[in-house]
Amino acid sequence: MTQGAFYGTTLRFKWPFLINLIGFLWLSCTGGVSFLLAQQVLPVKVSCATCTLTWTEVLRLGEGDAPGFIARPFLTVSRDHNGRYWITYSEGGLPMVYSPKGQFLGQVGTKGEGPGEFTRPWGSFPIPGDSMAVLDPVLQRVSVLDSDLRTVRTIRLIGTHYSAVVTNWPTVVTNGIMGTAASVGLPYHEVDLSGTEGSVLNSYGGSGDAVGPQNSGRLLGRLASGRGDWFWTVPRNEYSVQKRNLQGEVVESFISRPPWFPEPAPLRWVGPTPPPQAVKGLWEAPEGLVWVFVEVPRSDWKAVWQAFVDDGAIGAPEPQTLWRTNVEVIDLKTRQVLVRGEMDDLVNTVLDDGTVAVYRVREDGIPYIAILSGNLSRSPTDVEFPSSKR
């Protein structure tokens, strides 16, 4: 029981009520709710003391000296409807495509600004049929490619869009930055891609704060598909997971405050301060579980940073040398954290089947992308695998 003074009157609240009230007020103040709902603050303690998470490497991409060699950390990995893997780079290289078994199939397009060309492809996502869509924020457009990797349509966009999920094709929801009166300061945009000009139908999800060049990073978050007429959004620097209907309204929301992510993290990092935490992605499993992947500083990050500075290098060390990944599995039925696990790898992308992509370097210095499958074990004899086809 706790007490609170309100204009000379003593109020008494039970702790569960107070926690839910604080959570609701927090969500309301950040503009993340479009109607009244109960905000759930997840308990720190896990509900399954015997559950464990293990990871198995199922595939390697770009390993060795053959074409398709992975020379540097990647930006995103995605899969098309044929099971092929698409990779884009943060430095702006052309998209690279690999078969479902990991063989390199080739690069997509050429460098430039014309049809079938890319300047800085940021990510790709499958659309109905055998098609794939590639976002190019610099060119402010999305290119649609057929199963033979040929560009068949180019759609111009307003603003810069970095990721997308298909909700009701040709409608998608994107995460990006727009300067129009109806969309400024809002991170998520419902866009109609039926023509050659993307039409913004709605924007939402902002905090109501003014957003300028110095804090535009707060508009960059994570999107994930749901298993029905909903999808998921997560701010990049905040462990706050929102389930939204196709109109963008929040229908369920979870906040987690574990010791390794006690509050919103800084949007920018400048060494030698600890690297900030960030949600890397999430996946909704068929059995009503949501897997959330969070990058956290490695225990030796300070030594890595100091060695980098002592070498006189420019920029920052490779991300996988500064961060690793924590995983929480949320049970949507009980609204508790079922199990929590740690990964030595830095997860870069969470794929549509629950596998994850990480960047690794062999002992001989050869880099590659590893696709890992997670296994949830409730007991030594009871193992659950993500029930999806690969």
Side-chain angles (χ1 to χ4, degrees):
M1 188 84 70
T2 187
Q3 298 181 353
F6 182 74
Y7 291 106
T9 302
T10 300
L11 304 180
R12 297 179 180 271
F13 302 111
K14 292 184 178 180
W15 276 112
F17 171 81
L18 183 61
I19 291 174
N20 285 333
L21 176 62
I22 293 173
F24 172 74
L25 292 175
W26 177 91
L27 184 64
S28 300
C29 292
T30 56
V33 65
S34 50
F35 52 86
L36 187 66
L37 78 151
Q39 172 67 25
Q40 178 68 49
V41 180
L42 298 175
V44 174
K45 185 178 180 180
V46 299
S47 61
C48 180
T50 60
C51 290
T52 58
L53 297 174
T54 57
W55 297 89
T56 303
E57 183 179 288
V58 297
L59 188 67
R60 292 187 179 188
L61 305 175
E63 183 181 23
D65 298 327
F69 174 68
I70 301 298
R72 57 199 183 281
F74 56 97
L75 181 64
T76 64
V77 176
S78 56
R79 295 197 319 165
D80 61 22
H81 294 297
N82 295 315
R84 297 176 297 191
Y85 293 88
W86 293 58
I87 298 175
T88 55
Y89 286 99
S90 56
E91 294 87 350
L94 294 171
M96 304 174 69
V97 184
Y98 299 79
S99 75
K101 294 184 178 181
Q103 289 84 10
F104 178 61
L105 300 178
Q107 291 183 325
V108 174
T110 56
K111 296 291 290 186
E113 300 181 3
E117 297 178 338
F118 302 93
T119 296
R120 194 177 182 186
W122 196 271
S124 56
F125 58 98
I127 59 179
D130 293 333
S131 300
M132 198 72 168
V134 179
L135 289 165
D136 196 322
V138 173
L139 297 180
Q140 296 188 344
R141 72 185 189 190
V142 57
S143 298
V144 176
L145 298 97
D146 63 15
S147 58
D148 294 323
L149 311 183
R150 298 173 301 191
T151 300
V152 296
R153 186 159 59 99
T154 300
I155 307 167
R156 297 177 61 184
L157 300 173
I158 300 174
T160 55
H161 303 256
Y162 298 95
S163 62
V165 294
V166 176
T167 52
N168 186 21
W169 183 253
T171 299
V172 302
V173 172
T174 70
N175 176 221
I177 301 173
M178 296 180 58
T180 61
S183 303
V184 66
L186 301 175
Y188 305 114
H189 314 284
E190 184 181 1
V191 183
D192 182 357
L193 298 180
S194 59
T196 58
E197 301 282 340
S199 176
V200 179
L201 307 177
N202 189 20
S203 297
Y204 44 81
S207 64
D209 298 331
V211 177
Q214 297 302 316
N215 60 354
S216 60
R218 72 176 56 189
L219 298 182
L220 300 182
R222 303 292 177 182
L223 288 168
S225 299
R227 294 191 172 273
D229 54 353
W230 64 85
F231 61 100
W232 300 89
T233 61
V234 186
R236 182 165 61 96
N237 69 323
E238 175 88 16
Y239 196 154
S240 175
V241 181
Q242 297 92 37
K243 179 181 181 180
R244 298 178 182 268
N245 60 24
L246 299 187
Q247 289 72 48
E249 299 169 324
V250 178
V251 296
E252 197 165 6
S253 185
F254 303 97
I255 298 175
S256 185
R257 290 291 178 264
W260 38 267
F261 205 151
E263 57 188 13
L267 289 168
R268 295 174 180 269
W269 174 64
V270 179
T273 59
Q277 307 90 332
V279 176
K280 297 296 291 185
L282 70 155
W283 176 65
E284 183 181 351
E287 60 271 20
L289 303 177
V290 171
W291 298 48
V292 182
F293 299 81
V294 181
E295 67 177 15
V296 297
R298 300 182 68 91
S299 60
D300 60 346
W301 71 267
K302 186 175 293 186
V304 171
W305 172 258
Q306 191 60 52
F308 184 82
V309 173
D310 293 343
D311 288 341
I314 299 175
E318 291 188 349
Q320 75 277 4
T321 65
L322 293 171
W323 286 275
R324 59 172 183 78
T325 307
N326 280 2
V327 187
E328 288 193 336
V329 180
I330 301 171
D331 189 331
L332 297 179
K333 296 178 181 178
T334 63
R335 298 194 175 195
Q336 293 182 317
V337 177
L338 179 67
V339 61
R340 181 180 294 119
E342 298 180 356
M343 299 177 65
D344 190 55
D345 289 293
L346 172 60
V347 169
N348 181 282
T349 302
V350 182
L351 297 169
D352 58 354
D353 62 349
T355 58
V356 299
V358 303
Y359 177 84
R360 288 177 171 175
V361 179
R362 298 187 329 201
E363 293 183 358
D364 59 1
I366 300 297
Y368 63 96
I369 292 175
I371 305 298
L372 310 180
S373 174
N375 302 326
L376 167 59
S377 175
R378 297 180 185 269
S379 69
T381 58
D382 180 14
V383 179
E384 293 183 4
F385 296 88
S387 54
S388 55
K389 297 180 179 179
R390 297 192 183 91

